[in-house]
Amino acid sequence: MPFNITAVKTSSNGIWQGDNPLDFAFPLLIVQTTLIIAVSRSLAVFFKPLRQPIVIAEIVGGILLGPSALGRNTAYMHRIFPKWSMPILESVASIGLLFFLFLVGLELDLSSIQRSGKRAFGIAVAGITLPFLGGVGVAFVFRNTLYTAADKPGYAEFLVFMGVALSITAFPVLARILAELKLLTTRIGETAMAAAAFNDVAAWILLALAVALAGNGGESGEKKSPLVSLWVLLSGVGFVVFMLVVIRPGMKWVAKRGSPENDVVRESYVCLTLAGVMVSGFATDLIGIHSIFGAFVFGLTIPKDGEFAQRLIERIEDFVSGLLLPLYFATSGLKTDVAKIRGAESWGMLGLVVVTACVGKIAGTFAVAVMVKVPAREALTLGFLMNTKGLVELIVLNIGKEKKVLNDETFAILVLMALFTTFITTPSVMAIYKPARSTHRKLKDLSTSGDSSKEELRILACLHGPANVSSLISLIESIRTTKILQLKLFVMHLMELTERSSSIIMVQRARKNGFPFVHRYGHGECHSSVVGGFQAYRQLGRVAVRPITAVSPLPTMHEDICHMAETKRVTMIILPFHKRWNVDHGHGHHHHQDGGDGNVPENVGHGWRLVNLRVLKNAPCSVAVLVDRGLGSIEAQSSSVDGQTNVVERVCVVFFGGPDDREALELGGRMAEHPAVKVTVIRFLVRETLRSNAVTLRPATSKGKEKSYAFLTTNVDPQREKELDEGALEEFKSKWKEMVEYGEKEPNNTIEEILSIGQSKDFDLIVVGKGRLPSAEVAALAERQAEHPELGPIGDVLASSTNHIIPSILVVQQHNKAHVEETTGSKLVTESSLSTNGDTNV
């Protein structure tokens, strides 16, 4: 070592006074932290397409920065990670670890473990016992092969450490993997989470035992009295009992008093809790068990059902998980020297430990799962899921190294084993477990489900939160027919899963309730109002409402929506638009006309817009996007009566032609059946000038794609399309003539005519087709720069925030297996009359 640690100063005087900041503790710590976070986050981006949890990137980052890779350069190692700096780096990382284990305890809901019952308990016991026994067997081989007579650890502690290292399941990592794979809210996900929680608790108890047995690692060479280990264990049990009997009721009182008033948690209670984490850690360290055990148990004492736990997590988790925890994994990597695994014997040991860990965990879990009547494929999947190691494993290994139970070579072998077992989880589960998909069932479009059939109409309605509820109920109510056809509504609450660990609490609550909104946390009153709305609506009798929760990262949210539509055989998905207008109906809509606040939309974010785009592209059925401008609000309903006391909603269907418009017309027909809905159909005819000049679309340039509309590239017979349009209109008129107002227009300026409909106060809802196979009138609008291309030309004009539109808009896209290829197009007018009705050729 170049200099004595006692001579190390905290901060330097700066380079102008001849000091090198890297020779001082604090500036060096800043450099180390920055380097570690930069490397681990860069690797996380690389591993993301492989669907690997972030912990993999953090461990690999540490290994790359350590003696296995960059650390081979001694100048770099002495300058950036000198030996004297390691205790300081590890101390800061240990604070992160302490609070992380507190968060894990906070996430572990013991009541949900109890509810999961015998099945999960049996699976957890098998998942621990077999690999633990395997670990004991491997420990004998390791002890005789990789240790010299001088550094051999005691039998008891080494056996327990190896057993724990092989049998542990990382609960926080498993939760993240399940969310990635869309399995969190499935039966297999519930079982895995509960079994992992059992496993976690058992592992910490075993770890406490191992630490008690290891003591000071026999550094002085003298043998400890067995009574010391016994005292440590008894004190540990006493500590847990004290925490659960005395501290738990106290924390209930703190949580009650500390709950937010006016959305503010009282600081004193947060500080008290954070100090409690430190004190608990110190208490277990004093006893002789690692300080993280105290923080974990303290986390268990805090009640999970109020808002206090949620707010605590929000306060500390970003700092802990984003900044301090990566330091801990990096220090593990810095201690891992892969070069220490030398020769065939050592590599053979690595193979042995990986096989033992995997076989023990997977076989044990599989056997018991099959015994409790879990299907074989699910049982095997559970085995692979329970084999997730990750960060909890590293904590065990680091403590083992600290206590001199594991030497450098054993430590390196076990770190690589943890990496490998976690790395294979996602690909293995994806290969084995593909949930059954009903792709063989033909999903009917609205227009093809025959009237005579008594099959219920199934709709999947998605929402972001309470703001979407009244408009959604209003729309569904207008579609609910009074005839024999039943309506089954699946309400899917879309919840974004982020990297934050509190997302896991959100998932547990959503799963526990089945209904996503029952548990009052975060915005409690909003959630209860959502429940109230749908429960009241369910009472109407003719609508069966089934709530579903989708907890997903936004880039894969569409998979959940499309998969649900497929498995539930729905006919239409209704999506909320990513912008919503807070309409003030109290002023008789004038607020809009003045361009006041009513025209400033509330934007839920570009990420949600991308979700809609992906659903529109991949949906197995028809899709409708609802642009909400206050549909269903009480003011809107009272202002729409117009002397007809029974009319609650006035709907306008705009018809140009094409499959999307025919689907919109079919939907209008369903609405016409409802006695409280007044439907008006306005058909736009093709102008004489456009009949003689066909409109051909050419693909948009790559620059203009973002701002261009998508059209179908399917070769269609224009004459056939024209016949289908006429047929649909004739059928519609013959069915609903008495109940529907019908009008035709042949405008000189389509946009002006559409805007006049949208800006009038005659309608509450305008239904339009997306127009992917457009008539010449719609195709002529293709050269407009689109604000919202996913809504098609007409929908985009009506959804624009600058056009002062009053009604809400519903844009319909028909599902048709033949119409799969889409391209973005811009207009090109030719003089030749290629098509008789002006339909597009792309």
Side-chain angles (χ1 to χ4, degrees):
M1 271 193 301
F3 43 97
N4 186 348
I5 187 136
T6 53
V8 175
K9 289 182 179 162
T10 308
S11 54
S12 75
N13 295 315
I15 55 167
W16 302 121
Q17 295 189 46
D19 280 357
N20 181 347
L22 296 182
D23 290 337
F24 295 82
F26 190 58
L28 182 61
L29 180 66
I30 292 172
V31 170
Q32 290 170 337
T33 306
T34 310
L35 182 64
I36 287 166
I37 286 169
V39 169
S40 61
R41 284 285 154 183
S42 307
L43 285 169
V45 173
F46 173 73
F47 283 124
K48 200 167 186 182
L50 304 172
R51 290 195 168 183
Q52 291 299 332
I54 200 163
V55 64
I56 292 272
E58 288 164 349
I59 302 168
V60 172
I63 291 173
L64 290 179
L65 290 169
S68 305
L70 290 173
R72 288 173 178 274
N73 180 329
T74 48
Y76 151 83
M77 210 61 186
H78 287 320
R79 180 45 68 209
I80 306 295
F81 294 105
K83 275 192 175 162
W84 62 263
S85 74
M86 294 316 284
I88 301 163
L89 181 63
E90 284 175 29
S91 297
V92 174
S94 296
I95 291 176
L97 184 66
L98 196 72
F99 279 100
F100 178 73
L101 263 293
F102 166 67
L103 288 176
V104 172
L106 205 53
E107 283 178 356
L108 257 183
D109 188 353
L110 293 174
S111 61
S112 76
I113 297 177
Q114 288 163 2
R115 266 197 313 279
S116 304
K118 294 174 186 169
R119 170 188 278 199
F121 182 70
I123 289 169
V125 169
I128 293 175
T129 312
L130 208 60
F132 190 88
L133 295 173
V136 169
V138 167
F140 280 104
V141 182
F142 265 65
R143 199 169 177 276
N144 295 328
T145 313
L146 301 178
Y147 286 83
T148 60
D151 70 351
K152 273 188 182 174
Y155 260 118
E157 59 261 37
F158 189 58
L159 295 185
V160 176
F161 257 107
M162 288 298 284
V164 171
L166 267 67
S167 61
I168 212 157
T169 295
F171 171 81
V173 180
L174 177 68
R176 172 78 39 216
I177 289 174
L178 285 168
E180 271 299 320
L181 296 173
K182 315 286 177 211
L183 297 175
L184 254 175
T185 48
T186 62
R187 187 179 63 176
I188 193 170
E190 284 182 32
T191 311
M193 286 281 275
F198 276 124
N199 203 318
D200 242 19
V201 174
W204 292 120
I205 294 166
L206 287 169
L207 181 61
L209 169 71
V211 173
L213 290 167
N216 63 358
E219 282 165 41
S220 55
E222 61 193 51
K223 288 283 173 195
K224 295 195 317 295
S225 158
L227 279 175
V228 174
S229 297
L230 185 64
W231 278 120
V232 171
L233 279 176
L234 288 174
S235 309
V237 170
F239 170 78
V240 173
V241 170
F242 173 77
M243 293 299 278
L244 296 178
V245 172
V246 179
I247 302 296
R248 200 175 186 182
M251 288 315 297
K252 269 190 179 164
W253 179 84
V254 168
K256 214 175 205 174
R257 294 292 302 271
S259 280
E261 292 160 22
N262 306 325
D263 258 10
V264 178
V265 176
R266 285 171 62 184
E267 287 302 318
S268 52
Y269 292 112
V270 175
C271 293
L272 178 71
T273 309
L274 299 183
V277 178
M278 298 292 212
V279 172
S280 304
F282 179 76
T284 45
D285 203 272
L286 192 71
I287 290 166
I289 302 171
H290 201 282
S291 52
I292 57 170
F293 187 72
F296 175 71
V297 175
F298 185 64
L300 291 176
T301 65
I302 292 176
K304 312 290 185 276
D305 48 2
E307 292 186 29
F308 186 65
Q310 182 76 12
R311 294 304 168 94
L312 262 180
I313 289 173
E314 284 171 5
R315 290 289 176 91
I316 61 174
E317 72 173 341
D318 285 341
F319 185 66
V320 170
S321 306
L323 187 72
L324 300 181
L325 205 58
L327 298 186
Y328 186 78
F329 297 126
T331 56
S332 306
L334 287 165
K335 291 181 208 161
T336 306
D337 189 357
V338 179
K340 288 266 195 282
I341 309 175
R342 289 193 198 95
E345 198 174 61
S346 290
W347 286 104
M349 288 292 153
L350 175 61
L352 173 70
V353 80
V354 167
V355 169
T356 309
C358 293
V359 169
K361 200 69 154 170
I362 295 164
T365 307
F366 177 78
V368 173
V370 168
M371 279 162 63
V372 293
K373 297 195 170 69
V374 173
R377 183 180 281 188
E378 280 189 29
L380 190 59
T381 307
L382 264 175
F384 274 98
L385 287 170
M386 297 303 287
N387 198 29
T388 304
K389 297 277 190 286
L391 71 190
V392 186
E393 170 82 359
L394 281 193
I395 296 166
V396 174
L397 300 182
N398 276 302
I399 294 170
K401 193 166 193 302
E402 205 178 284
K403 301 284 181 189
K404 304 276 193 295
V405 176
L406 306 177
N407 63 13
D408 287 349
E409 194 173 352
T410 312
F411 181 78
I413 286 172
L414 292 175
V415 167
L416 291 184
M417 179 272 290
L419 260 181
F420 177 77
T421 50
T422 307
F423 197 90
I424 62 167
T425 302
T426 304
S428 308
V429 171
M430 285 173 78
I432 299 163
Y433 185 72
K434 290 186 174 72
R437 301 221 159 189
S438 53
T439 43
H440 309 298
R441 193 182 298 279
K442 184 168 183 329
L443 288 154
K444 293 183 175 181
D445 298 324
L446 280 173
S447 46
T448 54
S449 20
D451 266 349
S452 54
S453 82
K454 293 187 181 179
E455 192 184 335
E456 61 195 354
L457 170 60
R458 291 161 166 260
I459 289 179
L460 174 65
C462 302
L463 48 84
H464 300 144
N468 307 123
V469 175
S470 64
S471 55
L472 194 57
I473 289 179
S474 184
L475 177 62
I476 296 298
E477 173 57 21
S478 61
I479 300 170
R480 179 181 74 91
T481 63
T482 49
K483 295 280 173 67
I484 198 78
L485 190 87
Q486 286 267 320
L487 175 62
K488 185 155 194 178
L489 175 64
F490 298 93
V491 178
M492 188 179 237
H493 187 207
L494 309 177
M495 295 165 111
E496 182 184 2
L497 182 82
T498 60
E499 287 292 339
R500 302 172 73 103
S501 55
S502 58
S503 309
I504 308 303
I505 283 198
M506 177 173 80
V507 168
Q508 286 184 331
R509 286 172 171 170
R511 197 181 65 226
K512 193 193 304 181
N513 301 312
F515 206 73
F517 322 102
V518 170
H519 229 87
R520 294 224 300 265
Y521 69 95
H523 310 287
E525 283 150 37
C526 303
H527 284 283
S528 55
S529 71
V530 172
V531 178
F534 280 107
Q535 281 177 340
Y537 189 54
R538 196 183 265 174
Q539 303 308 315
L540 288 169
R542 294 191 68 80
V543 178
V545 181
R546 168 82 194 281
I548 306 158
T549 317
V551 186
S552 244
L554 289 188
T556 57
M557 182 75 79
H558 68 283
E559 293 174 18
D560 285 21
I561 298 170
C562 295
H563 176 51
M564 191 53 64
E566 215 164 355
T567 49
K568 300 297 181 192
R569 305 191 315 282
V570 302
T571 316
M572 179 173 272
I573 299 170
I574 298 173
L575 298 171
F577 190 52
H578 67 283
K579 291 181 183 175
R580 191 181 166 278
W581 280 259
N582 292 317
V583 183
D584 181 2
H585 284 286
H587 304 310
H589 293 304
H590 290 304
H591 211 47
H592 277 288
Q593 291 291 76
D594 303 338
D597 292 341
N599 270 309
V600 179
E602 176 191 318
N603 194 333
V604 293
H606 185 67
W608 290 105
R609 177 179 175 249
L610 295 178
V611 171
N612 284 4
L613 281 167
R614 293 185 194 110
V615 173
L616 284 162
K617 191 172 182 208
N618 301 300
C621 59
S622 295
V623 183
V625 180
L626 177 62
V627 182
D628 181 20
R629 286 195 170 90
L631 182 70
S633 62
I634 293 160
E635 293 93 337
Q637 292 185 9
S638 60
S639 67
S640 68
V641 173
D642 283 351
Q644 301 178 42
T645 47
N646 63 332
V647 172
V648 176
E649 206 160 281
R650 300 155 308 164
V651 177
C652 175
V653 180
V654 174
F655 187 88
F656 282 91
D660 295 342
D661 284 39
R662 293 196 292 273
E663 190 81 334
L665 191 69
E666 179 69 22
L667 193 60
R670 302 225 172 246
M671 292 176 168
E673 281 189 46
H674 198 291
V677 179
K678 184 175 188 296
V679 177
T680 305
V681 175
I682 300 174
R683 183 191 184 183
F684 280 74
L685 300 165
V686 180
R687 296 201 308 280
E688 199 59 49
T689 51
L690 278 175
R691 274 192 205 129
S692 54
N693 292 332
V695 177
T696 305
L697 292 172
R698 64 178 173 205
T701 58
S702 54
K703 261 189 188 174
K705 273 190 178 180
E706 278 292 302
K707 297 287 182 188
S708 298
Y709 303 110
F711 297 104
L712 296 171
T713 55
T714 322
N715 284 325
V716 290
D717 176 4
Q719 196 58 43
R720 170 82 182 130
E721 279 297 307
K722 190 175 181 183
E723 284 167 17
L724 287 170
D725 288 346
E726 295 297 341
L729 281 165
E730 283 310 312
E731 191 184 337
F732 182 86
K733 283 193 268 189
S734 65
K735 247 191 205 171
W736 314 116
K737 202 167 190 180
E738 308 302 316
M739 304 152 90
V740 173
E741 225 174 85
Y742 178 81
E744 293 184 349
K745 294 191 174 197
E746 191 176 323
N748 287 322
N749 187 319
T750 309
I751 292 182
E752 273 181 21
E753 202 64 53
I754 286 289
L755 288 177
S756 71
I757 296 171
Q759 288 164 357
S760 73
K761 298 177 200 167
D762 299 338
F763 305 108
D764 302 302
L765 177 70
I766 299 177
V767 183
V768 297
K770 187 178 169 186
R772 291 164 307 148
L773 200 68
S775 68
E777 290 285 354
V778 176
L781 306 178
E783 63 192 356
R784 283 181 79 251
Q785 197 174 34
E787 189 182 344
H788 311 111
E790 69 270 29
L791 300 179
I794 304 299
D796 185 26
V797 169
L798 290 168
S800 169
S801 42
T802 57
N803 289 336
H804 310 307
I805 305 298
I806 292 164
S808 297
I809 315 299
L810 188 71
V811 180
V812 180
Q813 171 183 296
Q814 187 189 58
H815 173 67
N816 190 324
K817 282 184 180 172
H819 297 161
V820 282
E821 290 302 316
E822 283 186 15
T823 187
T824 49
S826 56
K827 195 189 74 157
L828 175 70
V829 181
T830 59
E831 290 302 312
S832 59
S833 70
L834 291 168
S835 65
T836 49
N837 72 336
D839 271 303
T840 54
N841 308 307
V842 181

